Amino acid sequence: MLIVTCICILAVDFRLFPRRFAKVETWGTSLMDMGVGSFVFSAGVVASRPVLKERAEGKAAPLSTRLKTSLRHSLPLLVLGFIRLLSVKGLDYAEHVTEYGVHWNFFFTLGFLPPFVALFQSALKVLPSYAGLALLLGVVYQVLLETTSLKAYILTGPRNDLLSMNREGVFSFFGYLAIFLAGQDTGMLVLPRSLSRSISGSNNKTSGTVQRRSLLLNMAGWSLVWIALYFFATDYKYGFGLSVSRRMANLPYMLWVAASNAVLLLAFYLVDALLFPSFYSAQDVKTEKELYDMATSKVLRAYNRNGLAIFLLANLFTGLVNMTVPTLDVGRVATVGILVAYMGALTAVAVGLDEYNVTIKL
């Protein structure tokens, strides 16, 4: 997902890039619409790790601690958002106002997610899971879009103050928050380490098999749930007949992203289980790591290790290319050459950081 995103954010500026893959204006779906949602969903998956750690230790951090930690994670992203804002305005860089607004950008969306998630965690005392919280938020947001003037305000309202200038970014944030929570619920399911090593004797292998089967059924079950909910929300005959809008990040968009990513993770799991079964029979962490290194592409591992830093670098490279090359006038061969050189440089940095055991935490 990250590699395809890095390719697309530059490729979309060239004529060679198929327009059907670019972000749609208001209604519909495309590859890049899925990309931005998947980025938020995957961030939610990873964000479940500290929650799992708390539960394993049998303790829950107070709200003040969660907010303090979340703000520490948010600050670098918000700084990046302001840097992007100043650079785009200062360099007169091409931008689509209807995507996020006049001043808002994707880094602001990512930066505001952690503190809001920390606040919403308190609701888990009432709701059974992050998925339930995501659905509640998505449904309430959609009801407001359908029963008030909010939809018209987002799509056609005048831009005469700070809120109206950035209305797409501000209100779509609630949809992205729902996507993040859906991803966090998925992470709670797929990230816990196997318990089989703590069970001695002949039950070890049996326990691991049972856990893998349970995980497979749970992943398949949730994939079907998200697909069914998406069908129910968008089908004109049997459902509500709603249209997907990435611009508003409405309920159908949230369900579309959650369903697609859940199915994709299920497919990854099936590949892992069928092609690398020995990974699950490892008796110690060292053996597991050796099998992991053997089963995982070095390039994919490198991108995964410093994902956000590489994504930031990709944005810088994209800006540099656009400021030095008239992308709309470049021919096919030159376009491919530029994209290959761009991805080659990006991959060299990612692999180099991994080779020197460098992890950049933002």
Side-chain angles (χ1 to χ4, degrees):
M1 181 273 296
L2 182 60
I3 291 175
V4 172
T5 299
C6 290
I7 294 172
C8 287
I9 60 174
L10 177 59
V12 70
D13 296 324
F14 293 88
R15 290 190 183 276
L16 185 62
F17 189 78
R19 290 301 100 188
R20 67 181 183 276
F21 293 154
K23 291 177 181 176
V24 301
E25 185 67 23
T26 302
W27 306 105
T29 59
S30 73
L31 176 67
M32 292 191 72
D33 288 324
M34 175 57 69
V36 66
S38 297
F39 207 98
V40 174
F41 187 93
S42 63
V45 171
V46 176
S48 63
R49 289 185 298 183
V51 181
L52 288 167
K53 184 179 180 181
E54 283 185 5
R55 293 186 179 183
E57 295 173 350
K59 62 180 182 181
L63 177 60
S64 58
T65 302
R66 293 203 304 269
L67 283 174
K68 183 178 179 181
T69 303
S70 65
L71 290 173
R72 191 165 60 246
H73 289 303
S74 292
L75 187 59
L77 291 167
L78 295 176
V79 170
L80 291 174
F82 279 109
I83 292 174
R84 178 174 173 79
L85 170 62
L86 294 174
S87 61
V88 167
K89 300 301 180 183
L91 298 172
D92 198 24
Y93 189 73
E95 58 179 331
H96 298 282
V97 173
T98 57
E99 186 174 354
Y100 294 108
V102 177
H103 309 103
W104 198 278
N105 58 61
F106 188 52
F107 287 111
F108 287 136
T109 297
L110 292 176
F112 283 116
L113 283 171
F116 274 84
V117 171
L119 290 172
F120 271 67
Q121 278 185 333
S122 301
L124 291 177
K125 297 176 182 177
V126 180
L127 294 170
S129 66
Y130 286 100
L133 190 56
L135 286 171
L136 177 62
L137 180 60
V139 169
V140 169
Y141 177 48
Q142 187 65 44
V143 169
L144 291 175
L145 287 173
E146 299 299 326
T147 60
T148 69
S149 60
L150 180 60
K151 183 192 294 185
Y153 174 72
I154 295 174
L155 298 181
T156 61
R159 300 185 187 273
N160 48 23
D161 55 37
L162 188 61
L163 176 61
S164 61
M165 286 181 181
N166 299 284
R167 56 182 184 263
E168 290 90 349
V170 171
F171 290 103
S172 67
F173 173 79
F174 297 103
Y176 286 117
L177 178 58
I179 292 171
F180 186 95
L181 292 169
Q184 198 163 13
D185 188 82
T186 303
M188 300 294 289
L189 178 67
V190 303
L191 288 189
R193 295 176 63 85
S194 171
L195 302 177
S196 61
R197 292 194 201 95
S198 62
I199 304 172
S200 58
S202 60
N203 291 330
N204 189 305
K205 185 176 180 180
T206 302
S207 175
T209 302
V210 171
Q211 289 180 59
R212 292 195 297 276
R213 186 180 299 132
S214 175
L215 176 59
L216 175 61
L217 292 175
N218 280 319
M219 293 179 70
W222 271 110
S223 297
L224 291 174
V225 167
W226 291 122
I227 291 171
L229 289 172
Y230 172 72
F231 176 81
F232 188 64
T234 57
D235 187 77
Y236 284 92
K237 186 176 181 180
Y238 300 104
F240 288 98
L242 301 171
S243 298
V244 175
S245 174
R246 188 263 321 146
R247 182 177 174 183
M248 294 185 290
N250 61 357
L251 178 63
Y253 177 71
M254 172 259 179
L255 295 173
W256 177 57
V257 170
S260 300
N261 279 273
V263 171
L264 190 61
L265 286 173
L266 174 61
F268 288 160
Y269 174 78
L270 290 173
V271 170
D272 194 39
L274 294 175
L275 299 184
F276 305 99
S278 57
F279 179 80
Y280 296 97
S281 60
Q283 299 299 311
D284 55 73
V285 175
K286 181 181 178 181
T287 305
E288 181 184 276
K289 187 179 184 306
E290 291 174 352
L291 292 170
Y292 169 78
D293 291 339
M294 182 177 65
T296 306
S297 161
K298 189 172 184 177
V299 171
L300 293 180
R301 186 178 70 241
Y303 271 89
N304 188 57
R305 180 171 186 172
N306 291 293
L308 188 56
I310 297 301
F311 178 65
L312 173 61
L313 183 61
N315 276 270
L316 294 175
F317 281 170
T318 298
L320 180 62
V321 171
N322 274 274
M323 287 188 295
T324 55
V325 177
T327 55
L328 294 178
D329 300 325
V330 176
R332 291 172 176 265
V333 175
T335 295
V336 173
I338 292 171
L339 291 175
V340 169
Y342 156 74
M343 286 305 298
L346 205 59
T347 302
V349 173
V351 173
L353 290 173
D354 184 56
E355 194 70 27
Y356 285 97
N357 198 30
V358 176
T359 301
I360 301 176
K361 293 185 179 181
L362 296 174

